[in-house]
Coordinates of all heavy atoms in Angstrom, one line a residue:
M90 N 63.1 -50.5 -30.5 CA 62.3 -50.8 -31.7 C 61.2 -51.9 -31.3 O 60.6 -52.4 -32.2 CB 63.1 -51.3 -32.8 CG 64.1 -50.2 -33.4 SD 63.2 -48.9 -34.2 CE 62.7 -49.7 -35.7
S91 N 61.0 -52.1 -30.0 CA 60.2 -53.2 -29.7 C 58.8 -52.9 -29.6 O 57.9 -53.7 -29.8 CB 60.7 -53.9 -28.4 OG 60.7 -52.9 -27.4
N92 N 58.5 -51.6 -29.2 CA 57.2 -51.3 -28.9 C 56.5 -50.4 -30.0 O 55.7 -49.6 -29.8 CB 57.0 -50.6 -27.5 CG 58.0 -49.3 -27.5 OD1 58.6 -49.1 -28.5 ND2 58.1 -48.8 -26.3
K93 N 57.0 -50.6 -31.2 CA 56.4 -49.9 -32.3 C 55.0 -50.5 -32.6 O 54.9 -51.8 -32.7 CB 57.2 -50.0 -33.6 CG 56.6 -49.2 -34.8 CD 57.4 -49.5 -36.0 CE 56.6 -48.9 -37.2 NZ 57.3 -49.2 -38.4
I94 N 54.0 -49.7 -32.7 CA 52.7 -50.2 -32.9 C 52.3 -49.7 -34.4 O 52.3 -48.5 -34.6 CB 51.7 -49.7 -31.9 CG1 52.1 -50.3 -30.6 CG2 50.3 -50.2 -32.2 CD1 51.2 -49.8 -29.4
D95 N 51.9 -50.6 -35.1 CA 51.5 -50.3 -36.6 C 50.1 -49.7 -36.6 O 49.1 -50.4 -36.2 CB 51.6 -51.5 -37.4 CG 51.5 -51.1 -38.9 OD1 51.3 -49.9 -39.2 OD2 51.3 -52.0 -39.7
L96 N 49.9 -48.4 -36.8 CA 48.7 -47.8 -36.9 C 48.1 -47.7 -38.3 O 47.1 -47.0 -38.6 CB 48.7 -46.5 -36.2 CG 49.3 -46.5 -34.8 CD1 49.2 -45.0 -34.2 CD2 48.5 -47.3 -33.9
T97 N 48.9 -48.2 -39.3 CA 48.5 -48.0 -40.7 C 47.1 -48.4 -41.0 O 46.7 -49.6 -40.6 CB 49.4 -48.7 -41.6 OG1 50.8 -48.4 -41.4 CG2 49.1 -48.4 -43.0
G98 N 46.4 -47.5 -41.5 CA 44.9 -47.8 -41.9 C 43.9 -47.7 -40.7 O 42.8 -47.9 -41.0
K99 N 44.5 -47.5 -39.5 CA 43.5 -47.4 -38.4 C 43.0 -46.0 -38.4 O 43.6 -45.0 -38.7 CB 44.2 -47.7 -37.1 CG 44.6 -49.2 -37.0 CD 44.8 -49.7 -35.6 CE 44.9 -51.1 -35.6 NZ 46.1 -51.7 -36.0
T100 N 41.8 -45.8 -37.8 CA 41.1 -44.5 -37.7 C 41.0 -44.1 -36.2 O 40.8 -45.0 -35.4 CB 39.8 -44.6 -38.4 OG1 39.0 -45.5 -37.8 CG2 39.8 -44.8 -39.8
F101 N 41.2 -42.8 -36.0 CA 41.1 -42.3 -34.6 C 40.3 -41.0 -34.8 O 40.7 -40.0 -35.3 CB 42.4 -42.0 -34.1 CG 43.5 -43.2 -34.1 CD1 44.2 -43.5 -35.3 CD2 43.5 -44.0 -33.0 CE1 45.1 -44.7 -35.2 CE2 44.3 -45.1 -33.0 CZ 45.1 -45.4 -34.1
G102 N 39.0 -41.1 -34.4 CA 38.1 -40.1 -34.6 C 38.0 -39.7 -36.0 O 37.6 -40.6 -36.8
E103 N 38.4 -38.5 -36.4 CA 38.2 -38.1 -37.9 C 39.5 -38.5 -38.7 O 39.5 -38.3 -39.9 CB 37.9 -36.6 -37.9 CG 36.8 -36.1 -37.1 CD 35.5 -36.7 -37.7 OE1 35.3 -36.7 -38.9 OE2 34.8 -37.2 -36.8
L104 N 40.5 -39.0 -37.9 CA 41.8 -39.2 -38.6 C 42.0 -40.6 -39.0 O 41.7 -41.5 -38.2 CB 43.0 -38.8 -37.7 CG 43.0 -37.3 -37.4 CD1 44.1 -37.0 -36.2 CD2 43.3 -36.4 -38.6
K105 N 42.6 -40.8 -40.2 CA 43.0 -42.1 -40.5 C 44.5 -42.1 -40.8 O 45.0 -41.3 -41.5 CB 42.3 -42.6 -41.9 CG 42.7 -44.0 -42.3 CD 41.8 -44.4 -43.5 CE 42.1 -45.9 -43.8 NZ 41.3 -46.3 -44.9
A106 N 45.2 -43.0 -40.0 CA 46.7 -43.1 -40.2 C 47.0 -43.7 -41.5 O 46.6 -44.8 -41.9 CB 47.2 -43.9 -39.0
L107 N 47.8 -43.0 -42.3 CA 48.2 -43.5 -43.6 C 49.6 -44.2 -43.6 O 49.7 -45.2 -44.1 CB 48.3 -42.3 -44.6 CG 46.9 -41.6 -44.8 CD1 47.1 -40.4 -45.8 CD2 45.8 -42.6 -45.3
K108 N 50.5 -43.5 -43.0 CA 51.9 -44.1 -43.0 C 52.7 -43.4 -42.0 O 52.4 -42.3 -41.5 CB 52.5 -44.0 -44.3 CG 52.8 -42.6 -44.8 CD 53.6 -42.6 -46.1 CE 53.9 -41.1 -46.4 NZ 54.8 -41.1 -47.6
E109 N 53.7 -44.2 -41.5 CA 54.7 -43.6 -40.6 C 55.4 -42.4 -41.2 O 55.7 -42.4 -42.4 CB 55.8 -44.7 -40.2 CG 56.6 -44.4 -39.1 CD 57.6 -45.6 -38.9 OE1 57.3 -46.7 -39.1 OE2 58.8 -45.2 -38.7
N110 N 55.6 -41.5 -40.4 CA 56.1 -40.2 -40.9 C 57.2 -39.7 -40.0 O 57.1 -38.4 -39.6 CB 55.0 -39.2 -41.1 CG 55.5 -38.0 -42.0 OD1 56.4 -38.2 -42.7 ND2 54.8 -36.9 -41.9
G111 N 58.1 -40.5 -39.7 CA 59.3 -40.0 -38.9 C 59.1 -40.2 -37.4 O 58.2 -40.9 -36.9
R112 N 60.1 -39.7 -36.6 CA 60.0 -39.9 -35.1 C 59.7 -38.5 -34.4 O 60.1 -37.4 -34.9 CB 61.4 -40.3 -34.6 CG 61.8 -41.7 -35.1 CD 60.9 -42.7 -34.5 NE 61.7 -44.0 -34.7 CZ 62.5 -44.6 -33.8 NH1 62.7 -44.0 -32.6 NH2 62.9 -45.8 -34.1
G113 N 59.0 -38.6 -33.3 CA 58.7 -37.5 -32.5 C 59.6 -37.6 -31.2 O 60.6 -38.2 -31.2
N114 N 59.2 -37.0 -30.2 CA 59.9 -37.0 -28.9 C 59.7 -38.4 -28.2 O 58.8 -39.2 -28.5 CB 59.3 -35.9 -28.0 CG 59.6 -34.6 -28.5 OD1 60.6 -34.3 -29.1 ND2 58.6 -33.6 -28.3
N115 N 60.6 -38.7 -27.3 CA 60.5 -39.9 -26.5 C 60.4 -41.2 -27.4 O 59.8 -42.1 -27.1 CB 59.3 -39.9 -25.5 CG 59.4 -38.6 -24.7 OD1 60.5 -38.2 -24.3 ND2 58.2 -38.0 -24.5
R116 N 61.2 -41.1 -28.5 CA 61.2 -42.3 -29.5 C 59.8 -42.7 -29.9 O 59.6 -43.8 -30.3 CB 61.9 -43.5 -28.8 CG 63.4 -43.4 -28.7 CD 64.0 -44.5 -28.2 NE 64.0 -44.6 -26.7 CZ 64.3 -45.6 -26.0 NH1 64.6 -46.7 -26.6 NH2 64.4 -45.5 -24.7
S117 N 58.9 -41.8 -29.9 CA 57.5 -42.1 -30.4 C 57.5 -42.0 -31.9 O 58.4 -41.3 -32.5 CB 56.5 -41.1 -29.7 OG 56.9 -39.8 -30.0
F118 N 56.5 -42.5 -32.5 CA 56.5 -42.4 -33.9 C 55.4 -41.3 -34.3 O 54.4 -41.1 -33.6 CB 56.0 -43.7 -34.6 CG 57.1 -44.8 -34.4 CD1 57.3 -45.5 -33.3 CD2 58.0 -44.9 -35.4 CE1 58.3 -46.5 -33.1 CE2 59.0 -45.9 -35.3 CZ 59.2 -46.6 -34.2
L119 N 55.7 -40.7 -35.5 CA 54.8 -39.8 -36.0 C 54.1 -40.4 -37.1 O 54.6 -41.3 -37.9 CB 55.4 -38.5 -36.5 CG 56.2 -37.7 -35.4 CD1 57.0 -36.5 -36.1 CD2 55.3 -37.3 -34.3
W120 N 52.8 -40.1 -37.3 CA 52.0 -40.7 -38.4 C 51.3 -39.7 -39.3 O 50.8 -38.7 -38.7 CB 50.9 -41.6 -37.7 CG 51.5 -42.9 -37.2 CD1 52.0 -42.9 -35.9 CD2 51.7 -44.1 -37.8 NE1 52.5 -44.2 -35.7 CE2 52.4 -45.0 -36.8 CE3 51.4 -44.6 -39.0 CZ2 52.7 -46.2 -37.1 CZ3 51.7 -45.9 -39.4 CH2 52.4 -46.7 -38.4
L121 N 51.5 -39.9 -40.5 CA 50.8 -39.0 -41.4 C 49.3 -39.5 -41.5 O 49.0 -40.7 -41.8 CB 51.4 -39.2 -42.9 CG 50.7 -38.3 -44.0 CD1 50.8 -36.9 -43.6 CD2 51.3 -38.6 -45.3
C122 N 48.4 -38.6 -41.1 CA 47.1 -38.9 -41.1 C 46.2 -38.1 -42.1 O 46.5 -37.0 -42.3 CB 46.5 -38.7 -39.6 SG 47.3 -39.6 -38.5
K123 N 45.1 -38.6 -42.5 CA 44.2 -37.9 -43.3 C 42.9 -37.7 -42.5 O 42.3 -38.6 -42.0 CB 43.8 -38.6 -44.7 CG 43.0 -37.7 -45.6 CD 42.8 -38.4 -46.9 CE 42.0 -37.4 -47.8 NZ 41.7 -38.0 -49.1
C124 N 42.5 -36.5 -42.4 CA 41.2 -36.1 -41.7 C 40.1 -36.3 -42.6 O 40.2 -36.2 -43.8 CB 41.4 -34.6 -41.2 SG 40.0 -34.2 -40.2
S125 N 39.0 -36.4 -42.0 CA 37.7 -36.7 -42.8 C 37.4 -35.5 -43.6 O 36.6 -35.6 -44.5 CB 36.5 -37.0 -41.8 OG 36.3 -36.0 -41.0
C126 N 37.9 -34.3 -43.2 CA 37.7 -33.1 -44.0 C 38.6 -32.9 -45.2 O 38.4 -32.0 -46.0 CB 37.8 -31.9 -43.0 SG 39.5 -31.5 -42.6
G127 N 39.5 -33.8 -45.3 CA 40.4 -33.8 -46.4 C 41.8 -33.3 -46.1 O 42.7 -33.4 -47.0
N128 N 42.0 -32.7 -45.0 CA 43.3 -32.2 -44.6 C 44.2 -33.3 -44.1 O 43.8 -34.4 -43.7 CB 43.2 -31.2 -43.5 CG 42.7 -29.8 -44.0 OD1 42.9 -29.4 -45.1 ND2 42.1 -29.1 -43.0
F129 N 45.5 -33.1 -44.3 CA 46.5 -34.0 -43.8 C 47.2 -33.4 -42.6 O 47.4 -32.3 -42.5 CB 47.6 -34.3 -44.9 CG 47.0 -35.1 -46.1 CD1 46.5 -34.6 -47.2 CD2 47.1 -36.5 -46.0 CE1 46.0 -35.3 -48.2 CE2 46.5 -37.3 -47.1 CZ 46.0 -36.6 -48.2
K130 N 47.6 -34.4 -41.7 CA 48.2 -33.8 -40.5 C 49.1 -34.9 -40.0 O 48.8 -36.1 -40.0 CB 47.1 -33.5 -39.4 CG 47.7 -33.0 -38.2 CD 46.6 -32.7 -37.2 CE 47.1 -32.2 -35.8 NZ 47.8 -30.9 -35.9
T131 N 50.3 -34.5 -39.5 CA 51.2 -35.5 -38.9 C 51.0 -35.4 -37.4 O 51.1 -34.4 -36.8 CB 52.6 -35.1 -39.2 OG1 52.8 -35.2 -40.6 CG2 53.6 -36.1 -38.6
V132 N 50.7 -36.6 -36.9 CA 50.3 -36.7 -35.4 C 51.2 -37.8 -34.7 O 51.4 -38.8 -35.3 CB 48.8 -37.1 -35.3 CG1 48.3 -37.0 -33.8 CG2 48.0 -36.1 -36.1
N133 N 51.5 -37.4 -33.6 CA 52.2 -38.4 -32.7 C 51.3 -39.7 -32.4 O 50.2 -39.4 -32.0 CB 52.7 -37.8 -31.4 CG 53.7 -38.6 -30.7 OD1 53.5 -39.7 -30.4 ND2 54.7 -38.0 -30.2
G134 N 51.8 -40.8 -32.7 CA 51.0 -42.0 -32.5 C 50.5 -42.1 -31.0 O 49.4 -42.7 -30.9
I135 N 51.2 -41.6 -30.2 CA 50.7 -41.6 -28.7 C 49.4 -40.9 -28.6 O 48.4 -41.3 -27.9 CB 51.8 -41.2 -27.8 CG1 53.0 -42.1 -27.7 CG2 51.3 -40.9 -26.4 CD1 54.1 -41.6 -27.0
Y136 N 49.4 -39.7 -29.2 CA 48.3 -38.9 -29.2 C 47.0 -39.5 -29.8 O 45.9 -39.4 -29.4 CB 48.5 -37.5 -29.7 CG 49.5 -36.7 -29.0 CD1 50.2 -35.6 -29.7 CD2 49.8 -36.9 -27.8 CE1 51.1 -34.9 -29.0 CE2 50.7 -36.1 -27.0 CZ 51.4 -35.2 -27.7 OH 52.3 -34.4 -27.0
L137 N 47.3 -40.2 -30.9 CA 46.3 -41.0 -31.7 C 45.7 -42.0 -30.7 O 44.5 -42.1 -30.6 CB 46.8 -41.6 -32.9 CG 47.2 -40.6 -34.0 CD1 47.8 -41.4 -35.2 CD2 45.9 -40.0 -34.5
R138 N 46.6 -42.8 -30.1 CA 46.0 -44.0 -29.4 C 45.4 -43.6 -28.1 O 44.5 -44.3 -27.5 CB 47.2 -44.9 -29.2 CG 47.6 -45.7 -30.3 CD 48.6 -46.8 -30.1 NE 50.0 -46.3 -29.9 CZ 50.7 -46.5 -28.7 NH1 50.2 -47.1 -27.8 NH2 51.8 -46.0 -28.7
H139 N 45.9 -42.4 -27.6 CA 45.2 -42.0 -26.3 C 44.0 -41.1 -26.6 O 43.3 -40.7 -25.6 CB 46.1 -41.2 -25.4 CG 47.2 -42.1 -24.9 ND1 48.1 -41.6 -23.9 CD2 47.6 -43.4 -25.1 CE1 48.9 -42.7 -23.5 NE2 48.7 -43.7 -24.3
G140 N 43.7 -40.8 -27.8 CA 42.5 -40.0 -28.2 C 42.7 -38.5 -27.9 O 41.8 -37.8 -28.0
N141 N 44.0 -38.1 -27.7 CA 44.3 -36.7 -27.6 C 44.0 -35.9 -28.9 O 43.5 -34.8 -28.8 CB 45.7 -36.5 -27.1 CG 46.0 -37.1 -25.8 OD1 45.4 -38.0 -25.4 ND2 46.9 -36.5 -25.1
T142 N 44.3 -36.6 -29.9 CA 44.2 -35.9 -31.2 C 43.1 -36.7 -32.1 O 43.4 -37.9 -32.5 CB 45.4 -35.8 -31.9 OG1 46.4 -35.1 -31.1 CG2 45.4 -35.0 -33.3
K143 N 42.1 -36.1 -32.5 CA 41.0 -36.8 -33.2 C 40.6 -36.2 -34.5 O 39.8 -36.7 -35.2 CB 39.7 -36.9 -32.3 CG 39.9 -37.7 -31.1 CD 38.7 -37.7 -30.3 CE 38.8 -38.5 -29.1 NZ 37.6 -38.4 -28.2
S144 N 41.3 -35.0 -34.9 CA 41.1 -34.4 -36.1 C 42.3 -33.5 -36.4 O 43.2 -33.4 -35.6 CB 39.8 -33.5 -36.1 OG 40.0 -32.3 -35.4
C145 N 42.3 -33.0 -37.7 CA 43.4 -32.1 -38.0 C 43.2 -30.7 -37.3 O 44.1 -29.9 -37.4 CB 43.3 -31.8 -39.5 SG 41.8 -30.7 -39.9
G146 N 42.1 -30.6 -36.5 CA 41.9 -29.3 -35.8 C 40.6 -28.8 -36.2 O 39.9 -27.9 -35.5
C147 N 40.0 -29.4 -37.3 CA 38.7 -28.9 -37.7 C 37.6 -29.1 -36.7 O 36.6 -28.3 -36.7 CB 38.3 -29.4 -39.1 SG 38.2 -31.3 -39.1
L148 N 37.7 -30.1 -35.9 CA 36.6 -30.3 -34.9 C 36.6 -29.2 -33.9 O 35.5 -28.8 -33.4 CB 37.0 -31.6 -34.1 CG 36.5 -32.9 -34.9 CD1 36.9 -34.1 -33.9 CD2 35.2 -33.0 -35.3
L149 N 37.7 -28.6 -33.7 CA 37.7 -27.5 -32.7 C 37.0 -26.3 -33.3 O 36.5 -25.4 -32.5 CB 39.2 -27.1 -32.4 CG 40.1 -28.2 -31.7 CD1 41.4 -27.7 -31.5 CD2 39.4 -28.6 -30.4
H150 N 37.0 -26.2 -34.6 CA 36.4 -25.1 -35.2 C 34.8 -25.2 -35.3 O 34.1 -24.2 -35.6 CB 37.0 -24.8 -36.6 CG 38.5 -24.4 -36.5 ND1 38.9 -23.5 -35.8 CD2 39.5 -25.1 -37.2 CE1 40.3 -23.5 -35.9 NE2 40.6 -24.5 -36.7
K151 N 34.4 -26.4 -35.2 CA 33.0 -26.7 -35.2 C 32.4 -26.3 -33.9 O 32.1 -27.3 -33.2 CB 32.6 -28.1 -35.7 CG 33.1 -28.4 -37.1 CD 32.9 -29.9 -37.4 CE 33.4 -30.2 -38.9 NZ 33.4 -31.7 -39.1
S152 N 32.3 -25.2 -33.6 CA 31.8 -24.7 -32.3 C 30.3 -25.0 -32.1 O 29.6 -25.1 -33.1 CB 32.1 -23.3 -32.1 OG 31.4 -22.5 -33.0
P153 N 30.0 -25.4 -30.9 CA 28.5 -25.6 -30.8 C 27.6 -24.4 -30.8 O 26.8 -24.1 -29.9 CB 28.5 -26.3 -29.3 CG 29.6 -25.5 -28.7 CD 30.7 -25.3 -29.7
Q154 N 27.7 -23.8 -31.9 CA 26.9 -22.6 -32.1 C 25.7 -23.0 -32.9 O 25.7 -22.9 -34.1 CB 27.7 -21.4 -32.7 CG 26.9 -20.1 -32.8 CD 27.8 -19.1 -33.2 OE1 28.8 -19.3 -33.9 NE2 27.5 -17.8 -32.9
N155 N 24.7 -23.4 -32.2 CA 23.6 -23.9 -32.9 C 22.4 -22.9 -33.0 O 21.3 -23.1 -33.4 CB 23.0 -25.1 -32.2 CG 24.0 -26.3 -32.4 OD1 24.6 -26.5 -33.5 ND2 24.1 -27.1 -31.4
K156 N 22.7 -21.7 -32.4 CA 21.7 -20.6 -32.4 C 21.4 -20.2 -33.9 O 22.4 -19.8 -34.5 CB 22.1 -19.4 -31.5 CG 21.1 -18.2 -31.6 CD 21.5 -17.2 -30.6 CE 22.7 -16.3 -31.0 NZ 22.3 -15.4 -32.1
L157 N 20.2 -20.4 -34.3 CA 19.9 -19.9 -35.6 C 19.9 -18.4 -35.7 O 19.4 -17.8 -34.9 CB 18.5 -20.5 -36.1 CG 18.5 -22.0 -36.2 CD1 17.1 -22.5 -36.4 CD2 19.4 -22.5 -37.4
D158 N 20.4 -17.9 -36.8 CA 20.4 -16.5 -37.0 C 19.1 -16.1 -37.8 O 19.0 -16.5 -39.0 CB 21.6 -16.1 -37.8 CG 21.7 -14.6 -37.9 OD1 20.8 -13.9 -37.4 OD2 22.5 -14.1 -38.6
L159 N 18.1 -15.7 -37.1 CA 16.9 -15.4 -37.8 C 16.7 -13.9 -38.1 O 15.7 -13.4 -38.5 CB 15.8 -15.8 -36.7 CG 15.8 -17.1 -36.3 CD1 14.6 -17.4 -35.2 CD2 15.6 -18.2 -37.5
T160 N 17.8 -13.2 -37.9 CA 17.7 -11.7 -38.2 C 17.2 -11.5 -39.7 O 17.8 -12.1 -40.6 CB 19.2 -11.1 -38.0 OG1 19.6 -11.4 -36.8 CG2 19.1 -9.5 -38.3
N161 N 16.3 -10.7 -39.7 CA 15.7 -10.2 -41.1 C 14.9 -11.2 -41.7 O 14.5 -11.1 -42.8 CB 16.8 -9.7 -42.0 CG 17.4 -8.4 -41.5 OD1 16.7 -7.5 -40.9 ND2 18.7 -8.2 -41.8
K162 N 14.6 -12.3 -41.0 CA 13.7 -13.3 -41.6 C 12.3 -12.9 -41.2 O 12.1 -12.3 -40.0 CB 14.1 -14.7 -41.0 CG 15.3 -15.2 -41.6 CD 15.4 -16.7 -41.8 CE 16.5 -17.1 -42.6 NZ 17.8 -16.9 -42.0
I163 N 11.4 -13.3 -42.0 CA 10.0 -12.8 -41.8 C 9.2 -14.0 -41.4 O 9.2 -15.0 -42.0 CB 9.5 -12.1 -43.0 CG1 10.2 -10.9 -43.2 CG2 8.0 -11.8 -42.8 CD1 9.9 -10.2 -44.6
F164 N 8.4 -13.9 -40.2 CA 7.5 -14.9 -39.8 C 6.2 -14.4 -39.8 O 5.8 -13.5 -38.9 CB 7.9 -15.4 -38.4 CG 9.3 -16.1 -38.4 CD1 10.3 -15.3 -38.1 CD2 9.4 -17.4 -38.8 CE1 11.6 -15.8 -38.0 CE2 10.7 -17.9 -38.7 CZ 11.8 -17.2 -38.4
G165 N 5.3 -14.7 -40.8 CA 4.0 -14.1 -40.9 C 4.2 -12.6 -41.1 O 4.8 -12.1 -42.0
R166 N 3.6 -11.8 -40.1 CA 3.7 -10.4 -40.3 C 4.8 -9.8 -39.3 O 5.0 -8.7 -39.1 CB 2.4 -9.7 -40.0 CG 1.4 -9.8 -41.1 CD 0.2 -9.0 -40.9 NE -0.6 -9.6 -39.9 CZ -1.7 -9.0 -39.3 NH1 -2.0 -7.7 -39.7 NH2 -2.5 -9.6 -38.4
L167 N 5.5 -10.7 -38.6 CA 6.6 -10.3 -37.8 C 7.9 -10.4 -38.5 O 8.2 -11.3 -39.2 CB 6.7 -11.3 -36.5 CG 5.4 -11.1 -35.6 CD1 5.6 -12.3 -34.5 CD2 5.3 -9.9 -34.9
K168 N 8.7 -9.5 -38.2 CA 10.0 -9.5 -38.8 C 11.0 -9.4 -37.6 O 10.9 -8.5 -36.8 CB 10.3 -8.3 -39.8 CG 11.6 -8.3 -40.4 CD 11.7 -7.1 -41.4 CE 13.1 -7.3 -42.1 NZ 13.3 -6.1 -43.0
V169 N 12.0 -10.3 -37.6 CA 13.0 -10.3 -36.6 C 14.0 -9.2 -37.0 O 14.6 -9.3 -38.0 CB 13.7 -11.7 -36.6 CG1 14.8 -11.7 -35.6 CG2 12.6 -12.8 -36.2
T170 N 14.1 -8.3 -36.1 CA 15.0 -7.2 -36.3 C 16.4 -7.4 -35.5 O 17.4 -6.9 -36.0 CB 14.4 -5.8 -36.0 OG1 14.0 -5.9 -34.7 CG2 13.3 -5.6 -36.9
K171 N 16.2 -8.1 -34.4 CA 17.5 -8.3 -33.7 C 17.4 -9.5 -32.7 O 16.2 -9.8 -32.3 CB 18.0 -7.1 -33.0 CG 17.2 -6.6 -31.9 CD 17.8 -5.5 -31.1 CE 16.9 -5.1 -29.9 NZ 17.5 -3.9 -29.1
W172 N 18.5 -10.0 -32.2 CA 18.4 -11.1 -31.3 C 18.1 -10.4 -29.9 O 18.8 -9.5 -29.4 CB 19.8 -11.7 -31.3 CG 20.0 -12.8 -30.2 CD1 20.8 -12.7 -29.1 CD2 19.3 -14.1 -30.0 NE1 20.7 -13.7 -28.3 CE2 19.9 -14.6 -28.8 CE3 18.4 -14.7 -30.9 CZ2 19.4 -15.9 -28.5 CZ3 18.0 -16.0 -30.4 CH2 18.4 -16.6 -29.2
A173 N 17.1 -10.8 -29.3 CA 16.7 -10.1 -28.1 C 16.9 -11.1 -26.8 O 16.3 -10.8 -25.8 CB 15.2 -9.8 -28.1
G174 N 17.7 -12.0 -27.0 CA 18.0 -12.9 -25.8 C 17.0 -14.0 -25.6 O 16.1 -14.2 -26.5
K175 N 17.2 -14.9 -24.7 CA 16.4 -16.0 -24.6 C 15.1 -15.7 -23.7 O 15.1 -14.9 -22.9 CB 17.1 -17.0 -23.7 CG 18.2 -17.7 -24.6 CD 18.8 -18.8 -23.8 CE 20.0 -19.5 -24.5 NZ 20.7 -20.6 -23.8
N176 N 14.0 -16.3 -24.1 CA 12.8 -16.2 -23.4 C 12.9 -17.0 -22.1 O 13.6 -18.0 -22.0 CB 11.6 -16.8 -24.2 CG 11.3 -15.9 -25.3 OD1 11.4 -14.7 -25.3 ND2 10.7 -16.5 -26.3
K177 N 12.3 -16.4 -21.1 CA 12.4 -17.2 -19.8 C 11.2 -18.2 -19.6 O 10.3 -18.2 -20.3 CB 12.2 -16.2 -18.7 CG 13.5 -15.3 -18.5 CD 13.3 -14.3 -17.3 CE 14.5 -13.5 -17.2 NZ 14.5 -12.5 -16.2
Ligands
ZN222 ZN1 39.9 -32.0 -40.4

């Protein structure tokens, strides 16, 4: 019980540790966390402190898909009918 670290109220990425929530493997502590998206997730404190877990998982879903879908949008007299790849 000597190396318990109180993470209450601390934030790790998108997660904020709310309270201790039982024990995990290797005598580690689990923490109930609230994600910035509103979801709750129980995370091993080791993962929090090492930065392995930074969200409830929602960050993984925010894929870097920044390609705008211009299909069927009209620019002047041009109409985009399909994605034709990148210009060189
Ligand atoms: Zn989330």
Side-chain angles (χ1 to χ4, degrees):
M90 294 295 288
S91 60
N92 54 4
K93 179 188 171 187
I94 298 176
D95 188 8
L96 303 180
T97 305
K99 294 207 166 69
T100 54
F101 303 88
E103 303 299 310
L104 295 172
K105 181 175 183 177
L107 299 180
K108 65 175 183 175
E109 194 182 316
N110 195 22
R112 294 290 196 96
N114 296 326
N115 304 323
R116 284 186 276 169
S117 56
F118 289 87
L119 300 178
W120 290 86
L121 178 67
C122 300
K123 186 176 185 183
C124 183
S125 62
C126 71
N128 283 335
F129 290 91
K130 182 179 174 68
T131 299
V132 184
N133 192 311
I135 292 173
Y136 294 158
L137 287 174
R138 286 188 284 121
H139 289 195
N141 297 29
T142 304
K143 295 177 180 174
S144 77
C145 70
C147 61
L148 283 182
L149 299 177
H150 300 304
K151 292 176 185 170
S152 60
Q154 188 171 23
N155 292 323
K156 179 170 77 74
L157 292 172
D158 185 5
L159 301 178
T160 304
N161 290 328
K162 292 211 167 64
I163 297 172
F164 298 92
R166 285 187 287 166
L167 294 172
K168 183 177 181 183
V169 178
T170 55
K171 68 175 183 178
W172 175 250
K175 291 182 177 177
N176 288 329
K177 289 183 180 172

